[in-house]
């Protein structure tokens, strides 16, 4: 397979990848090759990323709660449940509101180019990005019929499709309103960029759902990568770009930050797709092999299907029919993806995308010390196992 992008052409493919026998639920799910060849700093970067995520959550959560409190009561209840701050009956909960990767990127990018003052000024923008992210989650769960998120039932399974969709719509409006009412001089440009990003996200989701209706042999790897960039890379890129805007960065630096986030987002999606097949349910909160059961054409699966190997033919035959738990062993399906090289390809591609991301980051933030936080966050998401 030939993959093109970012001005380069690289010939890669799962054909001939070494076979490794594994099972669904192993801890190898989030282990791409070390992106920067920096094993000596992996632990410290992980600690730095964790600290940045905690700080971001602490800064952004009050803004999120304040915004959600302005929703009509029925929608506020669904949103608070979705964020993990209330139980279904409306009583308070100490839940999981997510890792806050996207708001952390906004704040860390602002700090990298504008210091602590720029970071503080970007809190509302960071909250806006997190609201947009959660609008997509609320809608995606309905469209994908996912029943579990963050180790609890999804909002639509508790409140119904209509309430989940309408709450998602309202949460998106909240995100745009936060920017529209922000007195910061960059807020207007940020609002336009975020609105453009939402349209790209919708296009990516449309492509994804359309691809699911097509036969396995009709889907190409290039279009799957383009879809993943629109669905995942676009918002991470936008988050970084908004941080640059709030720091008063030059246009070329804002665009480089956007490109950095997009490439890191593709690495994120590649690893997320690997986890969707081989992730441990104790950590993911989802059943093992859930993506295979719903015949999701994730990146490892499409790479495997297009590899031209005997295992690809076996996988195509399995994917041609709906999943039947009495007849099909998901372990066998996962092994077919692995034998066709899908897992190795996805992990190698994640490392390659991280390398490209770091090139873009160096353009925007040439000082390694200033860029350290963004790099730590990007590498954190490609090493995760949950």
């Amino acid at each position: 397979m030939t993959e093109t992008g970012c001005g380069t052409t690289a010939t890669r493919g799962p054909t001939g990848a070494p076979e490794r026998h594994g099972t669904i639920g192993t801890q190898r799910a989030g282990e791409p090759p070390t992106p920067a060849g920096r094993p000596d700093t992996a632990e410290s970067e992980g600690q730095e990323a964790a600290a940045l995520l905690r700080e971001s959550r602490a800064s952004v959560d009050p803004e999120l709660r304040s915004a959600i409190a302005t929703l009509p009561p029925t929608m506020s209840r669904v949103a608070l449940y979705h964020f993990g701050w209330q139980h279904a009956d409306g009583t308070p909960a100490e839940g999981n509101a997510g890792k806050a990767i996207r708001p952390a990127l906004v704040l860390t990018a602002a700090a990298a180019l504008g210091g602590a003052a720029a970071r503080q000024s970007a809190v509302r923008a960071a909250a806006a990005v997190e609201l947009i992210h959660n609008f997509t989650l609320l809608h995606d769960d309905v469209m994908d019929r996912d029943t579990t998120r963050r180790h609890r039932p999804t909002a639509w399974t508790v409140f119904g499709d209509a309430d989940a969709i309408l709450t998602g719509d309202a949460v998106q409006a909240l995100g745009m309103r936060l920017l529209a009412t922000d007195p910061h001089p960059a807020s207007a440009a940020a609002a336009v960029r975020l609105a453009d990003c939402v349209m790209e996200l919708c296009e990516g989701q449309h492509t994804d759902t359309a691809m699911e209706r097509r036969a396995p042999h009709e889907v190409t790897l290039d279009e799957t990568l383009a879809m993943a960039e629109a669905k995942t890379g676009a918002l991470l890129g936008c988050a970084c770009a908004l941080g640059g805007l709030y720091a008063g960065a030059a246009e070329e630096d804002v665009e480089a930050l956007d490109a950095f986030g997009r490439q890191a987002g593709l690495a994120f999606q590649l690893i997320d797709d690997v986890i969707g097949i081989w992730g441990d349910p104790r950590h993911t909160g989802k059943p093992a092999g859930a993506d295979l059961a719903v015949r999701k054409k994730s990146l490892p699966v499409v790479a495997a299907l297009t590899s031209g190997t005997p295992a690809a033919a076996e996988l195509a035959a399995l994917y041609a029919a709906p999943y039947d738990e009495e007849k099909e062993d998901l372990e066998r399906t996962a092994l077919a993806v692995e034998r066709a090289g899908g897992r190795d390809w996805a992990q190698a591609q994640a490392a390659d995308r991280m390398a490209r991301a770091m090139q873009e980051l160096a353009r925007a933030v040439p000082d390694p010390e200033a860029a350290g936080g963004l790099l730590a966050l990007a590498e954190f998401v490609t090493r995760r196992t949950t």
Side-chain angles (χ1 to χ4, degrees):
M1 286 169 292
T2 301
E3 179 245 319
T4 60
C6 299
T8 64
T9 302
T11 302
R12 288 185 175 82
T15 307
E19 289 190 7
R20 291 199 302 259
H21 298 275
T23 58
I24 299 172
T26 63
Q27 284 297 311
R28 206 161 59 81
E31 298 175 3
T34 303
R38 296 152 55 101
D40 57 321
T41 60
E43 183 177 352
S44 62
E45 283 175 347
Q47 293 171 349
E48 181 178 6
L52 290 168
L53 292 171
R54 286 194 302 271
E55 293 166 5
S56 173
R57 190 90 269 169
S59 297
V60 170
D61 277 3
E63 193 77 46
L64 291 174
R65 286 178 179 268
S66 177
I68 290 170
T70 67
L71 289 173
T74 54
M75 296 176 190
S76 176
R77 180 181 175 185
V78 178
L80 288 168
Y81 171 84
H82 169 76
F83 276 94
W85 296 327
Q86 281 188 3
H87 296 296
D89 62 3
T91 57
E94 295 293 332
N96 175 12
K99 294 183 176 66
I101 290 167
R102 291 155 189 83
L105 286 171
V106 176
L107 299 177
T108 307
L113 289 169
R119 182 194 183 283
Q120 183 58 37
S121 74
V123 169
R124 189 176 293 187
V129 169
E130 184 70 345
L131 287 167
I132 294 301
H133 173 54
N134 280 276
F135 133 71
T136 68
L137 298 182
L138 283 160
H139 282 197
D140 285 0
D141 285 344
V142 174
M143 285 183 277
D144 297 340
R145 310 314 285 174
D146 284 337
T147 58
T148 305
R149 181 172 294 282
R150 299 167 181 162
H151 303 275
R152 69 199 313 223
T154 47
W156 72 268
T157 67
V158 176
F159 300 99
D161 288 3
D163 281 0
I165 292 169
L166 291 169
T167 300
D169 293 340
V171 166
Q172 180 194 174
L174 278 182
M176 301 311 298
R177 188 175 72 182
L178 279 181
L179 289 179
T181 57
D182 190 352
H184 194 283
S187 63
V192 171
R193 185 175 282 269
L194 188 57
D196 287 342
C197 179
V198 169
M199 288 185 278
E200 187 175 357
L201 291 169
C202 292
E203 181 184 21
Q205 179 65 13
H206 178 270
T207 301
D208 189 18
T209 55
M211 283 171 51
E212 294 306 312
R213 295 191 295 268
R214 289 157 56 188
H217 68 275
E218 295 176 344
V219 177
T220 69
L221 191 53
D222 282 345
E223 68 180 321
T224 310
L225 281 164
M227 177 272 294
E229 180 177 345
K231 279 193 64 175
T232 304
L235 189 55
L236 268 70
C238 183
C240 296
L242 261 59
L245 286 172
Y246 271 69
E251 182 179 353
E252 59 267 27
D253 293 334
V254 172
E255 293 305 322
L257 284 170
D258 187 285
F260 159 73
R262 284 174 178 270
Q263 292 300 321
L266 269 174
F268 177 102
Q269 188 60 57
L270 284 153
I271 296 305
D272 195 64
D273 284 353
V274 169
I275 291 170
I277 300 173
W278 294 282
D280 187 336
R282 293 172 298 179
H283 298 285
T284 66
K286 295 183 179 183
D291 286 356
L292 299 177
V294 298
R295 301 308 193 221
K296 183 176 179 181
K297 296 181 182 72
S298 61
L299 285 160
V301 167
V302 176
L305 287 168
T306 56
S307 67
T309 62
E314 178 187 1
L315 179 62
L318 290 166
Y319 256 56
Y323 171 62
D324 184 340
E325 62 180 346
E326 294 184 0
K327 297 180 180 179
E328 181 184 341
D329 180 1
L330 286 179
E331 296 282 357
R332 176 190 170 196
T333 311
L335 188 56
V337 178
E338 190 159 9
R339 283 177 170 166
R343 186 173 188 168
D344 285 319
W345 175 87
Q347 292 177 326
Q349 185 72 193
D352 180 64
R353 294 293 175 168
M354 271 299 297
R356 299 187 195 191
M358 286 185 289
Q359 290 174 354
E360 297 291 349
L361 180 58
R363 287 175 49 209
V365 191
D367 179 5
E369 184 173 352
L374 287 169
L375 178 59
L377 287 171
E379 293 195 346
F380 168 82
V381 301
T382 64
R383 289 199 178 103
R384 66 200 179 98
T385 58
T386 61

